[in-house]
Amino acid sequence: YVPDTNALLYNPKLENWKFSETPNFTLVLLPTVLSELDSLKINHRNEEVRKKAEKLIRMVKEYRRRGKLTAGVEVVKGKIKIQAMALEPRMESSLPWLDPENNDDRLLAGVIEVMRNRPRSLVMAVSRDINFQNKAEFASIPFVEPPEQ
């Protein structure tokens, strides 16, 4: 599962995430999302959003203390792992209508890269953003909404 920033802010309690179709899963964090969180913690006009972004960044740091995020670390033993993948999308070899200046489009291209890197895995985007979901559907990328808190 590849969450967008919106999904993480909506439900930052990753240890409580559940998806009925997959009891064991990995949450994949891409550079676009980490960059957005970093920007939000400083620049967002809403203090609550800034605090949530800061808290998520601290959580990621805590997960890194458990092991290498790039190798994947357990959030909940035997159920949820989190893994950071340093995949910058190859926009020129992605869908021609994706705009490299648009973070949602960069994330969708990143999800496509995850699919290419894990051809035997079910890869799904996670977002509550309707426009992101529409674009994911256009791109034939499966998506789900993040679990409720």
Side-chain angles (χ1 to χ4, degrees):
Y1 290 89
V2 184
D4 70 356
T5 308
N6 172 296
L8 295 171
L9 290 172
Y10 175 71
N11 186 350
K13 296 179 180 176
L14 304 181
E15 67 279 1
N16 295 335
W17 279 36
K18 291 183 176 127
F19 298 100
S20 59
E21 58 275 358
T22 48
N24 306 333
F25 58 90
T26 300
L27 292 171
V28 177
L29 298 178
L30 295 180
T32 302
V33 171
L34 295 174
S35 294
E36 280 186 333
L37 285 173
D38 199 42
S39 177
L40 289 173
K41 81 174 186 192
I42 298 166
N43 299 324
H44 201 278
R45 66 186 181 286
N46 182 316
E47 184 179 356
E48 184 179 336
V49 172
R50 287 194 309 268
K51 285 181 180 179
K52 279 185 175 182
E54 174 91 33
K55 184 177 179 182
L56 279 160
I57 291 167
R58 281 195 310 271
M59 274 182 16
V60 170
K61 182 178 180 179
E62 180 58 35
Y63 294 137
R64 197 174 339 102
R65 289 176 47 169
R66 298 179 189 181
K68 290 185 75 94
L69 271 181
T70 53
V73 297
E74 289 192 328
V75 174
V76 176
K77 189 172 174 89
K79 294 196 182 266
I80 305 171
K81 285 178 78 173
I82 190 165
Q83 183 177 12
M85 293 183 83
L87 285 177
E88 273 300 312
R90 294 182 310 214
M91 298 302 284
E92 68 282 350
S93 66
S94 195
L95 300 170
W97 50 268
L98 292 176
D99 177 1
E101 302 301 315
N102 179 293
N103 279 343
D104 282 353
D105 290 3
R106 291 186 65 73
L107 183 57
L108 285 168
V111 173
I112 292 168
E113 290 298 319
V114 172
M115 291 171 149
R116 287 179 180 153
N117 281 298
R118 295 191 169 177
R120 295 177 183 218
S121 298
L122 170 64
V123 177
M124 299 185 83
V126 184
S127 181
R128 294 182 72 231
D129 181 322
I130 292 170
N131 204 32
F132 182 90
Q133 291 175 354
N134 288 338
K135 287 181 176 184
E137 186 173 344
F138 298 157
S140 298
I141 295 172
F143 62 88
V144 294
E145 294 209 358
E148 297 292 325
Q149 286 193 29

